[in-house]
């Protein structure tokens, strides 16, 4: 076999292997919610993603998501969520506490949230980056250091929005299977909760003006 051909074969094999380790696997397609997962080489746990359609405007959904006091009403196992700093109109820092299963302590984490609007695609993207050292740890909860989330709200019609929720989180529970089961259940319940809470009339009153949307454009 010629040297150049050997190199080509090796590159193809490496590329195929990389594709296999990063491809999303469909875990569930039920009640309008699709759930996917994938294992990334540098991570201990799997990354999860879920997709659904909510028949409400993206403005309404975003308003519900930014109502911090409502977190326990729709985010699965959310005990509390509070805004601790507003860096600018697009960037905020939140502290969230979640309930862990069985006898385990609550988990808490700090995240820096950044919201961007793409007018050409009519997409809101909310990215959450972990900030574990933002404040000292509490004795009442285990600090989660690895948690990253992305929410995408894409307008697909009048009062129709495609919602995508992607998350990597390490709840620091004893077994991978327990962590994975908890995360999968959480993202499904959270999307179901979001679809319910947006029906609250107070969120339907929110409509972002062109000037407000322009402030969210990168």
């Amino acid at each position: 076999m010629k040297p150049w051909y050997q190199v080509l074969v090796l590159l193809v094999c490496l590329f195929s292997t990389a594709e296999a380790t990063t491809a999303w696997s469909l875990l569930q397609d039920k009640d309008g919610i699709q759930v996917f997962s994938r294992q990334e080489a540098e991570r201990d746990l799997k990354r999860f993603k879920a997709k659904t359609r909510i028949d409400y405007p993206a403005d309404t959904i975003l308003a519900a998501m930014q109502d911090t006091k409502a977190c326990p009403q729709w985010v699965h196992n959310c005990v509390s969520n509070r805004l601790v700093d507003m860096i600018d109109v697009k960037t905020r820092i939140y502290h969230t506490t979640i309930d862990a299963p069985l006898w385990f302590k609550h988990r808490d984490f700090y995240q820096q949230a950044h919201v961007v609007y793409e007018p050409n695609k009519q997409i809101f993207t909310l990215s959450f980056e972990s900030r574990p050292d933002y404040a000292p740890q509490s004795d009442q909860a285990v600090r989660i250091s690895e948690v990253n989330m992305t929410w995408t709200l894409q307008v697909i019609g009048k009062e129709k929005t495609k919602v995508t929720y992607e998350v990597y989180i390490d709840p620091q529970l004893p077994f991978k299977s327990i962590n994975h089961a908890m995360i999968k259940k959480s993202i499904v319940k959270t999307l179901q909760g979001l679809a319910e809470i947006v029906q609250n009339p107070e969120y339907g009153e929110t409509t972002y003006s062109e000037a407000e949307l322009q402030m969210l454009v990168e």
Side-chain angles (χ1 to χ4, degrees), residues 4 12 19 25 27 29 32 42 46 50 61 74 79 82 94-95 121 127 138 144 153 173-174 193 195 201-203:
W4 67 265
V12 170
E19 284 290 303
S25 297
L27 301 179
D29 189 350
E42 71 277 15
K46 293 180 180 180
I61 299 171
W74 67 278
V79 175
R82 61 187 178 90
Y94 295 94
H95 175 254
K121 299 179 180 179
S127 303
S138 165
I144 295 179
L153 311 178
L173 295 171
E202 70 174 286
Y203 303 128

Side-chain angles (χ1 to χ4, degrees), residues 74-108:
W74 67 278
V75 177
H76 186 62
N77 284 337
C78 178
V79 175
S80 65
N81 185 41
R82 61 187 178 90
L83 174 67
V84 296
D85 191 12
M86 187 165 181
I87 298 173
D88 55 44
V89 69
K90 290 185 287 191
T91 309
R92 306 176 183 186
I93 294 178
Y94 295 94
H95 175 254
T96 306
T97 302
I98 59 174
D99 186 23
L102 302 175
W103 57 86
F104 296 105
K105 275 187 178 182
H106 287 345
R107 267 54 181 161
D108 80 333

Side-chain angles (χ1 to χ4, degrees), residues 12 24-26 34 56 76 83 92 102 108 113 118 121 124 133 136-137 148 165 168 181 192 208 216:
V12 170
W24 290 102
S25 297
L26 179 64
Q34 292 182 314
Y56 278 84
H76 186 62
L83 174 67
R92 306 176 183 186
L102 302 175
D108 80 333
E118 299 177 67
K121 299 179 180 179
F124 290 98
D133 299 324
Q137 297 186 33
N148 298 96
Y165 175 32
Y168 178 85
Q192 291 173 338
Y208 294 95
L216 300 179

Side-chain angles (χ1 to χ4, degrees), residues 57 59-60 63 202-210 212-213:
D59 293 19
T60 301
E202 70 174 286
Y203 303 128
E205 296 172 0
T206 300
T207 302
Y208 294 95
S209 67
E210 288 297 324
E212 289 173 319
L213 289 174

